[in-house]
Structures are given as structure tokens and as C-alpha cells.
Amino acid sequence: MSSRRVVPGLFLLLVLTLPAKGQSQAPLPTSGPAGDSTSRYGAFGQVIVRVRAAGGTPLPAAATIRLYSNPASYEQTASTQDNGQALFSIVPVGDYQVEARAPGYEAGSESLSLLSPGAAAYVYVDLRPQGPAGAAVSATSPPALPLNAQRELDAAAAALRSADLTKAHDHVTKAQKMAPGHPEVYFLEGLLEIQKNRPEQARAALERAVGIYSDHAGAQSALGALLYRQSEFKAAIAALEKTVQLQPLAWQAHRTLALCYLHENALEKARPLAERALEIAGEKAPELHVFFARILIALGEKEKARQELQFFLAHYPGRAEAAEAKRLLATSLEDAGAAAQSDSRAQSSATDGQAKGDFISYGPGMEFALSASRPGVGRWAPPAVDETLPAVVGQAACSVESVLAGAARRATALAENLERVTANERIEHSEIDRKGRSRKTQSIQFDYFVSIVETRPGNLAVEEDRIPLHRSATSLPYMTNGLGALALIFHPYYAKDYDVRCEGLTEVNGKPAWSVYFRQRADVPSRVRSYRFREGSFSVALKGRALIAANNFQVLRLETDLVQPVKPLRLEQEHLVIEYKPVDFKSRKIRLWLPANAELYASFRGRRIFHHHAFTEYKVFTVDVTQKITEEKH
């Protein structure tokens, strides 16, 4: 590997290199299953299995649950109760498989780990209806909705229109009890979460709605707009294509779908959609003339673009987009080739930044604007962890000691096994202007290398390197390091540096997860994050939220913010989000949870920085005695 090159300017480091004394594992909880003491049961805990039909709806009949562990020769069976839940109350600590079977459904299975005495491990098993291979699961018609539930949803919709989120929440909650698992309930729940600016919870609810009833136009529209805001353009295209099929007069969906194709560099597909949006909207959205003109310029259709811009300026000279229209007439039309090479973000910036959100229609006359969840629209960065609360499901008791003990074991395994791992990494760097629009966007692909080594007891060193895949690639002005190792904050060496609380049981992509809030203790120095300059390094304190799988205690999502601005650096804001995925390394017979995507938002010395990292093709390198390097794909 080549040596790391320090890039002039800000260097964002996530490092774990300073010595730390060893730490004993977190204390065990004082009470075990059913409120009895842990000592009475020894190394035992509980396993709670919840079985659902596709989309999260309740099963119409009981399911048979088999909980087993081959190495321990443990096997127990139980049936689900009316709430679709089965409880195994005295289960030895260890790793298990759960198998669920129900009449009319294919068998389902999940794995789980019970790592601490007195702990409770939760696992959800979703069953699919039996049928021909490839048959659609989604209903062909919407299920019946009880009249009382419809009244509650109507009241929730009215509360959302008046921005009374508390009242809307109360009505949605009542509807959930009256019609559990109904797609219309999930749809209103998704709209509520959008208004609360909680995109992950909104996405989960909307995906459930379309999973049950794929022709739910409102849910498809909302999901497509939300996925667009999360920069998941391919997924957004699928939802929005369905939307325009179901709602051929929904100009907002046509516009957002055109924006998605722009980001995918599919100008020929974006053009008819933008034109159709303009035709449908008419005077409702005159800024679409400017948006359509930008696409025409990129395609080299200069004369038609000129007509669109001149029409807009003649009829809407007082609109905010007039300055952009004049600039395009004066510059871009003179050099269509240069315009065609402009970044897709720049192509859509006028519509992105000036349109008042991507709207989601719900019945005649009802529209909701999405809150921004990515740079380029409205709020330039996601809300800080203290501004949001997870959507906690049920009344599951959360033992912070047990959750931390499980997470500590996973972090220890990561530190022991993350050695000589490489991946393909794509970094997108942007600077965000005061209007929330992307500027100076760069995108570079790297061969990424990472190792974690324990140089001495209590001291972990993270070694990283990046090699550009193309020699002609320009260097990025800022770099973020340490993403693969940030989950080590739960390692026994470092966990004691944080005050931690467990917020409850939530869901990540339909799977149960413990929401854990953490904050750097004021009486100990920060050892996880630092900003490096040529003249030295500056440590910064973090707070954040981790979503930790309830079945195996792996970190699924990690989100961090600064405890407070760092005045000597003029660092006003820093928000980091990391999504993790399982990676299997067959030769080592191990599975590690490693970053899949990461986003960093930083406000530094008056500049706003956005980084998006995407990791693929993880591999492990081994060296034999003859120093021949081999690689094994996961």
C-alpha cells in the first residue's frame, strides 16, 4: 500500500490511536426474566419472537416457533399468541436460529444472539404467503377499512393539514389499533413521520404500505419523493414510475421523476417528463419553464430552450427564477457543449432550491411538502440527534447494561478481525452555498484499505489508505477517515468515555433494534474524533445515536454530532451518518458489519462541506510465506 498523503487544509479524522486502560465488561442487570434475580437462573435470558405477514401485518392464525442451537443441542418450540408473539423465558446465553411456520405461509428463519445473562433478545420473522415462484405478494385491491378507523384517519389528515402533529399522532395511533397492518394506516403514519422530519421512520411505514398494496398511489408518490431526498435515485425511480402510471396528472411526480433521471445522467428520459410536468402544471409552477430549458440546453436544443426562457421572462419577470433565466440566456445558450457537461445537481439546482419541496398528494386538494434530508434543498443538513427522537415500538424493557455488553462483544470481534480489508470506495465531495445548493462537486473512486491492530494492551491503531482508481483523478480538498472503525466507541477500551442511555425498541428496515443515545463525558478527553492541520490536531467531543440490532447487537446505523461548536477551529456543525451492512469472509468463516454508506455534513470557517461515501466489493487480503498476495471476495 502506498503511504497516506496529507491533503492541505482540513483533515477530518476518526481515529482510535491513544492508549487507554482496559475496562471490565458492563455490570449485569440486577433482575432476570419475569423480574427474578439473574443469579437464580445463572447464564440465562429471554427470547421474544414476533411473527408477521409480509408488510408487517398480523398473521390470521398462530405460528409454530422453533428455537434451536446445534452446538449447544438446545431446542424448544412454542406457539404465538394473539399478538403474534412467542416468549422463551429461560434460554442459555449463546447463538440461536429461529424457525417460524404457519399454515398457508412459507417457513421463515432468523438468527439471534443472546449475549448477556438476564438480557432479552428480540427478533422479528416475516412470512410470505405460499404461491407460485415469483408471484406478487402485494394485494390487487385495497383491504377493507373499518368505518371507525377511516374516521380516525380523516381526523389525522385534517390535523396534518393544520400542522397539529400531536393530534395527528393520537388519531394515527387509534387507527393502528382499529386496523393494524392496513396500508392506509401505514401511509398516514409515513406522512406524519415526514412532517416530523424523521425520514427513516417515514420510509419504513411507506414501504410497508406499498408492500401490502402496490397500487396505493399516495404511498408510492410519498416514497418516491422521500427516496429522492435520500439520494437513492434508482429506488425512487421505481416508485415514481408507478406513481405517474397511477396518477397521470400528478405534475409533481413527473417533475421529481425527471430530477431522478437527471441525477442518473439519463437526459433523454428526463426530457419528456419535464415537458409533461410543465404541460400539466401550467401557471401553478412557472419555474418549470427554467427547469425544462436547462435540460434542453444540456441536450443541445438551443432554440427551444431560448423560447422557454424568453416566455418565462416575458410572463413572470418578478419570479425569483428570473435571474437564473437571464444568466442562461446570456451564457449557457452560447456554449451548449459546456452546459451539457454540467453536473446533474447543477442542472436541477434551480428547481431543487426554489421549488417548495416535492409534494405528496393525498386525495383531492391535500398536499404535504417533504422536509429536506439531503443538501441542495431547504435545510442543508439533517437535524441533530437531540432534535429528533426514535419511534419506539411497544413497551419493551431496555437494559442499557445488556445492550452495551452485547455491542461491546461485537466491537471486540470487529477489532480482532478487521485486518487487511479492502473495498471499492466512491467519495462525492460538494460545497453547499447559503441557499443549500451544491457547488464544486467532485466524485472520485478509490481502492480503500483498512486495518485495526492492537499495538499494546488497551491501545488500538486504525491504519487506512486510499489509492485513486484513475491516475488522472484530482485530489479532494478535504478527506474523512476512520469510518470503518467508528463503531469501536462501544469497545470496552472506549465505551467508558460516554454517558449512555437506551431509548427503547425501534425498527430498522422492519427489523427490531435498540436505540442507544451516547454523549462524551465532560470529565474525560475525547479520543475518537480529531481535526488535523499541518500545525497539529484538535480533538472534538461527540454525541450521537446508534441503532443496535436486537437479535445480535450489531450496529446497524450510527449518527453523530458535535457536543458543542469548536471555536478555535470555527467548526460550527458536524453531522455524520453511517449505514452498515453484513459482509461475509468465507476463508475466515466470519461475518463483519461494515459501512455501506456514509454522509458527512460540516460547517467550517464559513464553508459548508458535504461528503458521501459508498463502499462496495469488500475483500480480505492474506499473505503467505512466499509473500504472494491473494484476495478473496466476500
Side-chain angles (χ1 to χ4, degrees):
M1 292 188 289
S2 66
S3 60
R4 181 187 298 164
R5 180 164 57 90
V6 178
V7 180
L10 178 65
F11 209 83
L12 305 177
L13 294 177
L14 317 180
V15 296
L16 293 161
T17 57
L18 300 181
K21 295 181 179 179
Q23 176 188 335
S24 61
Q25 291 186 0
L28 298 176
T30 56
S31 63
D36 294 315
S37 65
T38 302
S39 59
R40 175 180 173 184
Y41 291 99
F44 294 91
Q46 298 182 81
V47 172
I48 298 94
V49 181
R50 293 176 180 170
V51 183
R52 308 175 299 188
T57 57
L59 285 178
T64 301
I65 310 300
R66 175 181 172 231
L67 178 69
Y68 64 96
S69 174
N70 290 329
S73 300
Y74 175 95
E75 182 172 347
Q76 293 290 334
T77 59
S79 296
T80 57
Q81 304 303 308
D82 292 340
N83 59 359
Q85 177 174 297
L87 171 66
F88 298 85
S89 59
I90 305 177
V91 181
V93 169
D95 296 324
Y96 292 90
Q97 288 292 124
V98 173
E99 183 181 88
R101 295 180 179 275
Y105 290 84
E106 298 176 2
S109 64
E110 292 286 348
S111 60
L112 68 90
S113 297
L114 185 64
L115 299 181
S116 302
Y122 287 77
V123 62
Y124 291 1
V125 183
D126 292 334
L127 301 185
R128 298 172 62 90
Q130 290 178 341
V137 177
S138 177
T140 57
S141 60
L145 185 65
L147 182 60
N148 56 353
Q150 182 63 67
R151 288 171 180 166
E152 292 297 335
L153 292 178
D154 290 342
L160 282 175
R161 282 193 292 267
S162 60
D164 189 344
L165 302 188
T166 300
K167 190 175 181 179
H169 173 81
D170 293 339
H171 286 295
V172 170
T173 301
K174 291 179 182 178
Q176 287 171 335
K177 295 178 181 178
M178 297 172 181
H182 196 282
E184 199 71 15
V185 177
Y186 284 134
F187 173 49
L188 262 294
E189 180 186 351
L191 293 184
L192 176 61
E193 296 297 348
I194 286 171
Q195 293 291 65
K196 291 181 178 179
N197 200 21
R198 301 201 294 189
E200 294 304 320
Q201 291 88 339
R203 177 175 178 176
L206 294 170
E207 286 180 336
R208 287 182 177 181
V210 300
I212 300 167
Y213 179 47
S214 63
D215 284 350
H216 195 303
Q220 292 283 12
S221 175
L223 180 60
L226 184 61
L227 290 167
Y228 168 73
R229 293 297 190 204
Q230 294 179 315
S231 299
E232 296 191 30
F233 304 118
K234 286 185 172 62
I237 286 171
L240 291 168
E241 288 280 13
K242 185 70 171 179
T243 302
V244 298
Q245 175 188 344
L246 297 169
Q247 293 184 322
L249 297 181
W251 67 265
Q252 302 94 339
H254 284 79
R255 183 194 64 190
T256 309
L257 183 55
L259 285 167
C260 288
Y261 278 124
L262 278 179
H263 284 278
E264 292 296 300
N265 296 316
L267 291 170
E268 294 291 347
K269 292 184 178 181
R271 185 193 189 284
L273 289 163
E275 189 171 22
R276 180 59 177 157
L278 179 58
E279 178 183 343
I280 299 169
E283 295 183 355
K284 294 179 182 178
E287 69 276 3
L288 290 175
H289 287 281
V290 182
F291 174 48
F292 185 39
R294 294 198 66 102
I295 297 176
L296 293 171
I297 292 169
L299 289 169
E301 298 182 35
K302 293 170 40 176
E303 186 54 37
K304 188 169 179 57
R306 188 189 307 277
Q307 293 172 6
E308 293 292 337
L309 294 170
Q310 289 175 341
F311 178 89
F312 176 83
L313 289 172
H315 292 82
Y316 307 98
R319 296 277 302 198
E321 298 85 354
E324 175 71 3
K326 292 177 182 178
R327 187 190 68 80
L328 289 172
L329 277 172
T331 58
S332 297
L333 287 177
E334 300 303 322
D335 186 1
Q341 296 174 3
S342 62
D343 183 81
S344 62
R345 289 183 184 271
Q347 292 168 350
S348 59
S349 62
T351 299
D352 244 356
Q354 296 162 4
K356 295 179 177 163
D358 284 289
F359 289 89
I360 304 160
S361 60
Y362 170 65
M366 181 175 177
E367 293 179 328
F368 295 100
L370 277 173
S371 299
S373 62
R374 67 177 183 86
V377 186
R379 183 172 184 164
W380 79 280
V385 292
D386 287 336
E387 298 178 29
T388 60
L389 289 174
V392 177
V393 295
Q395 301 295 324
C398 182
S399 168
V400 67
E401 293 87 358
S402 297
V403 175
L404 285 182
R409 295 192 187 191
R410 296 306 185 191
T412 300
L414 177 67
E416 292 173 349
N417 291 286
L418 191 63
E419 182 180 0
R420 299 188 63 81
V421 169
T422 184
N424 181 290
E425 180 186 21
R426 182 183 181 89
I427 301 178
E428 179 184 340
H429 163 87
S430 296
E431 294 191 22
I432 313 301
D433 65 16
R434 288 299 173 185
K435 293 184 178 180
R437 294 175 297 190
S438 300
R439 293 288 185 265
K440 300 180 180 179
T441 298
Q442 296 175 258
S443 182
I444 301 179
Q445 287 187 298
F446 297 90
D447 276 330
Y448 170 75
F449 300 84
V450 62
S451 290
I452 298 176
V453 295
E454 184 166 10
T455 56
R456 57 182 180 277
N459 184 76
L460 297 176
V462 180
E463 300 175 354
E464 290 183 299
D465 198 9
R466 290 181 173 97
I467 301 175
L469 291 182
H470 305 288
R471 292 186 177 182
S472 60
T474 59
S475 61
L476 295 175
Y478 310 102
M479 191 67 76
T480 309
N481 290 321
L483 296 174
L486 191 58
L488 292 180
I489 60 173
F490 295 109
H491 193 282
Y493 294 164
Y494 303 97
K496 66 178 182 178
D497 292 356
Y498 298 88
D499 291 321
V500 181
R501 69 173 185 265
C502 190
E503 298 172 308
L505 188 68
T506 183
E507 291 186 5
V508 179
N509 298 325
K511 302 298 182 183
W514 297 113
S515 179
V516 175
Y517 178 91
F518 57 90
R519 185 185 179 96
Q520 174 76 41
R521 288 173 47 190
D523 58 341
V524 295
S526 172
R527 300 183 293 153
V528 170
R529 180 75 57 82
S530 68
Y531 278 64
R532 178 176 296 175
F533 296 84
R534 289 178 176 177
E535 59 268 31
S537 297
F538 298 82
S539 296
V540 297
L542 296 178
K543 58 185 176 182
R545 177 174 290 116
L547 299 183
I548 300 174
N551 65 327
N552 58 19
F553 300 100
Q554 297 285 2
V555 175
L556 305 178
R557 176 185 170 92
L558 195 61
E559 194 167 359
T560 66
D561 288 293
L562 300 175
V563 170
Q564 59 188 5
V566 184
K567 293 182 179 180
L569 298 179
R570 292 177 58 199
L571 179 63
E572 293 84 20
Q573 181 179 359
E574 187 215 84
H575 186 85
L576 177 66
V577 182
I578 306 176
E579 303 278 355
Y580 293 85
K581 67 178 180 181
V583 179
D584 293 311
F585 297 105
K586 296 179 181 179
S587 64
R588 297 185 181 180
K589 297 181 180 180
I590 60 170
R591 166 177 286 188
L592 300 179
W593 284 71
L594 300 173
N597 293 280
E599 291 186 342
L600 180 97
Y601 308 80
S603 177
F604 169 74
R605 295 182 178 179
R607 305 172 74 179
R608 292 175 171 179
I609 308 301
F610 169 67
H611 273 188
H612 179 265
H613 299 250
F615 296 89
T616 57
E617 300 181 28
Y618 277 103
K619 308 167 190 173
V620 60
F621 280 74
T622 58
V623 182
D624 61 22
V625 293
T626 62
Q627 295 298 303
K628 292 182 179 179
I629 299 179
T630 62
E631 68 177 56
E632 174 232 326
K633 296 184 179 180
H634 70 272

